[in-house]
Amino acid sequence: KRVKIVLFFLKNSIRLSRKQIRKPETLVSFGGFALSVAILTASLTLLNGYQQTLKESLLGVNAHIYIYNLTAEKLSGDDVTNISDFLVTQPEVDSFSPVIMTQVMAHGNEQVKGVLARSIRWQEERQPTNYYRYISEGSGELLGRNDAVIGSALAGYLNVTTDDIVSLVSPANMEYTIFGLKTGDISINIAGIYHSGIYDTDSRTVFLNEGIFSQLTGVDGRYDMIEVKLQAEHIDRADYISYLWNLMLDQEFMIHSWIDYNSNLFTMLVLQKWVIGIILSFLILIASFNIISNTTTSILERRREIGILKATGCSNGILRSFFIGKTFVLSMLAVILGIGGGLLLAFLLTKQTFLMLKGDVYFIEQFSVRPDLSSMLVVLLISITIALWATITALKRLSKLTIIESIRSS
C-alpha cells in the first residue's frame, strides 16, 4: 500500500511539473538560468573562435621556423645552399624558401607609409606561406620585374588598386649630391592585392621579385633568412624541432620557431578565456537563487502531499529525490536551451557588421564561431552543479516540515 502511494505521488508530481513549467515564476527562474548559460556559452565560443582563427591566420601568413645568420650579417649564397641541403633531408619539412626583407617608404596618390618589402618566389608551387590563398584581387604572379603584390589595408591607405603605380623609396638608393639628398624612387606596378585577415600583414607588406632588391638594399645575392613550413602534424612541435636542428647544424645559425614569437600571446588568450569563463559563471550562480526560490515555493505549495507521504512512512531522502529529479529535468532543459541559444547568439554576432574588431589592436577584424567540446562540457558541468546545489539548498526547508505542521497548514 505504501508503495502504491509513493508511485501515485510520483506520477502526480510529473503531471504537475508539466503545468509548473508554464508558470511565470518557473519561466523567470529557469529562463534566467538559461540566459546566463547562453551568455557563458557565447563568450567561450567566440573566444575559442578568436584563438583558433588567429592561430590559423598567423600560421597562414608566416612560416613555422626561421633560420638566420648568427651575426647581424645576411645569409650568403653558400649559407643558403648548405641549409637547403640540410632541410631536404628532414622529414618534418614541407617547404622552405630564402627571403630578403627591407624597410621602405611607399608613396601612392599623395599618401606615404612605411612598409616592409619582402621577396617571394612566386613561381614555386609549394610556398612556406599561403601566398596564393590570400590573393583577393589581381594575380599573385609577378611576371614583370617591377610587379608587386601589396596588402589590402595598405592598398586602401594608399588609395591604389591593381595596375596602379606605387613608388618605393629606400635609404639604400638615396644619394648625397651638391644639391642635397637625392632620393631614387623605384616604381612598382600593383599586380595583385593580398588579404590575409592579419592587420599587421595587410597594412604594411609588399611582395616583390628578388631581382629588384639589389636596388632597394644595395646588396646582391644575400638573404635575411630562410623560412620553413612544417608538415601539419609537426606544427605544434616547432620549438622542439628548431632546438634539434640547432644542435644538428652545430649552432652555426640562429633558429627560431613561430612558438618562440607567439607563445606569450596564445598563453594570454587561453588565460583570458578561462578567467572570463570563471567571471561569467557567477551569472549562473546568481541566476540559481531564482531556482532556490522556485523550489522553496513548490515545497510550500505541496505541504499537504508531503505531510501525507511522511505519515505513510516516506523518508525525507525519498522526498528529496522527487524534487531533485524534477529540478534536474528542468535544469537540463534550461542548460540545453542555454547552450543552443549561446551558439546561435555567437553565430549571429559573426554575421553582424556593427561590432567589428579593430585590426590594429586585435590582429584580426571579424568574429568567428568555433565550438569547443571541452568548453561545452565545462559549461554543462558548471551549470548542472550550480542547479543541484541550489535545489539541495532549498530542500533544507523540507526536512524541517513535520507531519502535523504540514497537514494543519494546508
Side-chain angles (χ1 to χ4, degrees):
K1 184 177 179 180
R2 184 177 301 172
V3 174
K4 289 182 179 179
I5 294 175
V6 173
L7 291 175
F8 172 78
F9 179 81
L10 181 60
K11 180 180 179 181
N12 188 47
S13 176
I14 294 173
R15 186 173 67 253
L16 290 176
S17 295
R18 294 175 181 174
K19 295 180 180 179
Q20 189 180 11
I21 293 176
R22 295 190 290 269
K23 291 184 176 181
E25 57 268 25
T26 303
L27 292 175
V28 170
S29 58
F30 287 94
F33 191 77
L35 180 61
S36 301
V37 174
I39 293 174
L40 177 59
T41 302
S43 300
L44 293 182
T45 301
L46 289 174
L47 286 172
N48 185 70
Y50 174 79
Q51 179 183 341
Q52 295 298 322
T53 302
L54 179 60
K55 180 179 178 180
E56 291 175 2
S57 299
L58 284 174
L59 294 180
V61 300
N62 296 293
H64 304 148
I65 291 180
Y66 308 88
I67 303 177
Y68 307 91
N69 197 320
L70 270 178
T71 65
E73 297 180 1
K74 297 177 179 290
L75 294 170
S76 66
D78 291 338
D79 291 332
V80 172
T81 300
N82 293 335
I83 295 173
S84 300
D85 292 341
F86 168 78
L87 292 176
V88 295
T89 65
Q90 302 305 306
E92 304 92 350
V93 175
D94 179 82
S95 59
F96 60 89
S97 178
V99 176
I100 307 171
M101 303 176 67
T102 186
Q103 297 282 346
V104 297
M105 298 295 294
H107 179 272
N109 290 338
E110 300 182 357
Q111 295 291 338
V112 179
K113 184 177 178 63
V115 300
L116 178 67
R118 57 161 292 164
S119 65
I120 185 74
R121 292 186 173 181
W122 57 270
Q123 307 94 330
E124 296 181 358
E125 183 178 351
R126 297 169 62 188
Q127 299 280 346
T129 61
N130 293 329
Y131 173 72
Y132 284 104
R133 173 184 172 185
Y134 295 122
I135 301 296
S136 59
E137 297 180 37
S139 171
E141 298 180 354
L142 309 181
L143 300 176
R145 183 177 183 274
N146 286 26
D147 282 351
V149 167
I150 69 173
S152 56
L154 176 60
Y157 180 83
L158 297 177
N159 193 26
V160 296
T161 185
T162 53
D163 296 327
D164 285 346
I165 302 298
V166 171
S167 297
L168 299 182
V169 181
S170 171
N173 56 29
M174 292 183 179
E175 296 180 0
Y176 288 96
T177 68
I178 59 174
F179 301 104
L181 183 63
K182 179 183 177 181
T183 60
D185 294 355
I186 299 177
S187 297
I188 60 171
N189 175 63
I190 308 302
I193 295 177
Y194 181 93
H195 181 76
S196 66
I198 299 295
Y199 182 81
D200 187 60
T201 300
D202 294 339
S203 64
R204 62 190 297 265
T205 303
V206 177
F207 293 94
L208 300 165
N209 284 303
E210 286 185 10
I212 201 174
F213 278 87
S214 58
Q215 292 178 260
L216 290 175
T217 64
V219 179
D220 196 11
R222 289 185 172 270
Y223 298 86
D224 288 272
M225 63 181 174
I226 292 182
E227 292 184 332
V228 183
K229 179 181 179 180
L230 300 175
Q231 301 284 350
E233 62 271 20
H234 298 292
I235 293 176
D236 292 328
R237 298 176 57 245
D239 55 340
Y240 177 68
I241 292 174
S242 62
Y243 169 75
L244 289 181
W245 288 0
N246 197 31
L247 295 179
M248 295 170 70
L249 291 170
D250 298 326
Q251 299 183 352
E252 293 182 6
F253 303 97
M254 184 168 55
I255 305 177
H256 292 296
S257 70
W258 72 271
I259 298 176
D260 297 328
Y261 294 123
N262 300 290
S263 60
N264 290 337
L265 171 62
F266 287 103
T267 300
M268 181 194 68
L269 290 176
V270 172
L271 180 61
Q272 181 185 40
K273 172 184 173 181
W274 291 115
V275 167
I276 291 177
I278 292 172
I279 294 174
L280 292 180
S281 295
F282 282 96
L283 286 178
I284 301 178
L285 181 62
I286 294 172
S288 69
F289 291 118
N290 288 327
I291 296 179
I292 295 176
S293 176
N294 183 268
T295 304
T296 302
T297 302
S298 179
I299 291 173
L300 294 176
E301 289 177 349
R302 309 190 64 183
R303 282 178 295 182
R304 179 180 176 82
E305 290 93 337
I306 292 171
I308 293 173
L309 282 175
K310 284 190 173 184
T312 58
C314 186
S315 65
N316 286 329
I318 294 177
L319 291 174
R320 287 193 190 95
S321 66
F322 291 150
F323 288 98
I324 290 176
K326 181 180 67 175
T327 306
F328 179 78
V329 171
L330 291 174
S331 299
M332 279 298 297
L333 180 61
V335 170
I336 293 173
L337 290 175
I339 291 177
L343 293 175
L344 178 61
L345 176 61
F347 176 77
L348 293 176
L349 285 174
T350 62
K351 299 302 179 182
Q352 54 82 34
T353 56
F354 298 103
L355 300 174
M356 301 294 291
L357 297 175
K358 291 185 177 180
D360 55 342
V361 177
Y362 299 102
F363 301 101
I364 57 179
E365 298 178 340
Q366 197 166 5
F367 294 102
S368 63
V369 175
R370 297 292 180 90
D372 179 51
L373 180 59
S374 61
S375 298
M376 297 302 101
L377 291 176
V378 169
V379 172
L380 179 65
L381 180 62
I382 291 175
S383 304
I384 294 300
T385 301
I386 292 177
L388 290 178
W389 167 82
T391 304
I392 293 171
T393 301
L395 290 180
K396 291 181 180 179
R397 173 79 178 180
L398 182 64
S399 59
K400 296 179 181 180
L401 290 175
T402 63
I403 297 175
I404 296 176
E405 179 185 358
S406 301
I407 296 176
R408 279 183 177 179
S409 59
S410 303

